[in-house]
Structures are given as C-alpha cells and as structure tokens.
Amino acid sequence: TTDMDGDCDDDDAKMAQKAQPSPPDALRAVLAKHVESHLRNAHGSRTPRFSKDVDGIWARNRRTWELKKAMFNDEEGTKERQHKRGGCIDTEDPTKSTAAIQQLNDGSIIRPLRLEDAPQIDSWWEHRSTSSLAAVARCISADVEGKIGACLGIVGPDDELRAGIVRYAGGAVGMLYVAEPYRRRGYGAALLRQATKAIEAKGDECVALILDGNEASEATFVNAGWEREDPTLKRGTGSRRANRKWVKR
C-alpha cells in the first residue's frame, strides 16, 4: 500500500510541475542582461561617476559663459565666472587677474585653485585612484566656499598650472607638487608660505603629514617655519616609514 501511495504522489508532483508554464524567452533575456549588468558593476568596470559630472558641469558652464559674453559684453559673464570659480577671472594675461595673490620673480603668479584644476592636481598625486579626483575637487570646493585660500596653484602667462598645494578636508596641508620643468625656482616654498599665511589668518591649526625620508618636503617645511610635532620620534626606513605630523607653532 505504501509503494502504491508513493507512486501516486510522484505522478501528481510530475503533473503539477508540467502544468507550470516556463518563463518566456524574452523574460529570460531581460533577466540575463540584468544579472550581467550587476556583475559588471560589482567588478568595478564603471567609470567613476564624479569624473563624468565634472566634464558635464564645466561644459555646460562654458556654453553659458560664452552666451553671456556675446549678449552682455562679458560683464555678466565675468561676474558669473568670478562667482563660480572662487573669484578667479579669466583674462588673456593672467598676471593682471584680480585673483592673483602674489607675482613671483619669473613673472608667474600664485592664484587660488579652480575646480577645473582638479584633474591636473590629481594626475600629480602619487596616491591617486578611481575616487581621488572627486576628493581633490571636494578639497578645492571647500576651500573656496570657506574663503580660506589654502588651495593654491602657480601659473605662467599662459595660465598653465606649474605647481599646486591643497588643504585636505580634515585640515592638513598636502599634495605639494611642482612640475619637473619648473623645479628649483622656489615654487614649493612660495606656495607653502602663502597657504600657511591663509590658514593662520583663519585662526586654524597648521598641520601636515610628511612621510619619513621625504627630505625635499621636510626641508621646504623647515624653511617655512614648520617643525615635527614630536621630534623625539625615530624616523622609520624601508617598510617602516610612517607619516609624521608637522605643525607650524
């Protein structure tokens, strides 16, 4: 009796399974594409969203400025650029810009970094990654909005960025870099002195992190009046190198 009941149950189960309709081919194709899309995203194949946004935003702003220049004799367009780019005005001769903070002996100027400088700063940064461009842009935006003036660059007559320094969101100074053709001109020291002055004017603490063994950076900071917070700490070498806190007292 038990075997007969079991056979009946198996037959009923098979008939119920056959009675259920299979998914249409179109639905299977949609589901397959959906799964493939999620797998691609999980493997990080997407282009960072922020880099797309930066290009799109500046392309739209550029078109708006060009229209305003044609319609309003550049008066309103200039004001718009000055507001959007942290007080920086585009002119044929950047040394005449009202945003110029200091003119150096070789004719180059120190000016605030603009959002459009972020890709160049990011390309110089040794710790750049797929998300570092967004981080650099946030630092520049925060500096402009906070009216601090510690994110700075040095440009020549053609407005090409030659050197830069950034203040991180946490308050530390970093990303100090001078392009190879423009080294040994005092650019790094000039940027650090100006950034230090801007931070002190706001009443904030001057802080930086320097990796053990970075003698060039250490010398630049020492010449600008900075020092290691704890000079008794032994400098590490090789894999034991660490970021040491430097301050301006």
Side-chain angles (χ1 to χ4, degrees):
T1 305
T2 305
D3 292 340
M4 291 178 65
D5 291 341
D7 292 340
C8 289
D9 291 341
D10 290 342
D11 292 340
D12 292 341
K14 290 178 181 179
M15 290 179 66
Q17 186 175 5
K18 290 180 180 179
Q20 293 179 357
S22 60
D25 292 340
L27 178 59
R28 289 182 178 179
V30 171
L31 291 174
K33 288 183 179 180
H34 190 66
V35 171
E36 289 177 2
S37 175
H38 277 283
L39 288 175
R40 285 197 302 271
N41 294 342
H43 285 84
S45 61
R46 291 182 298 173
T47 302
R49 183 177 60 185
F50 189 87
S51 63
K52 292 184 180 178
D53 291 345
V54 169
D55 294 339
I57 289 171
W58 280 110
R60 289 193 296 272
N61 286 346
R62 174 62 62 185
R63 288 194 294 270
T64 301
W65 296 330
E66 289 173 353
L67 286 172
K68 287 184 176 181
K69 180 177 179 180
M71 295 173 64
F72 301 106
N73 245 353
D74 201 31
E75 277 182 35
E76 190 171 341
T78 297
K79 290 179 182 178
E80 182 77 6
R81 286 198 303 274
Q82 186 174 6
H83 171 72
K84 292 285 186 181
R85 301 163 101 175
C88 300
I89 301 176
D90 284 343
T91 61
E92 293 183 1
D93 183 2
T95 61
K96 296 179 181 179
S97 169
T98 56
I101 295 173
Q102 180 184 352
Q103 183 168 350
L104 304 180
N105 294 334
D106 63 354
S108 59
I109 63 167
I110 299 178
R111 64 156 172 80
L113 286 177
R114 308 166 181 167
L115 186 60
E116 65 192 50
D117 295 321
Q120 181 63 72
I121 296 294
D122 180 61
S123 71
W124 289 340
W125 194 17
E126 61 180 344
H127 300 299
R128 65 182 177 273
S129 65
T130 55
S131 61
S132 59
L133 176 59
V136 173
R138 284 196 297 268
C139 292
I140 296 174
S141 296
D143 186 74
V144 172
E145 292 171 4
K147 298 181 180 179
I148 299 169
C151 289
L152 303 167
I154 293 180
V155 298
D158 55 357
D159 203 38
E160 178 190 5
L161 198 63
R162 299 178 174 182
I165 190 170
V166 169
R167 190 189 191 209
Y168 297 104
V173 172
M175 298 190 209
L176 179 59
Y177 188 89
V178 180
E180 186 71 36
Y182 304 106
R183 293 178 182 175
R184 300 187 180 278
R185 299 191 185 191
Y187 283 1
L191 285 173
L192 180 59
R193 283 195 299 268
Q194 187 58 47
T196 302
K197 181 180 177 181
I199 295 170
E200 289 179 331
K202 284 290 184 180
D204 295 340
E205 182 185 17
C206 294
V207 180
L209 297 174
I210 302 178
L211 186 66
D212 287 335
N214 191 342
E215 297 179 356
S217 290
E218 289 183 353
T220 300
F221 276 77
V222 168
N223 291 335
W226 291 59
E227 61 186 32
R228 295 175 69 194
E229 183 182 49
D230 186 356
T232 63
L233 289 176
K234 184 179 179 181
R235 286 182 171 85
T237 57
S239 61
R240 296 189 177 185
R241 293 194 304 166
N243 281 315
R244 305 297 179 184
K245 184 176 179 180
W246 284 64
V247 295
K248 174 72 163 56
R249 301 191 189 280

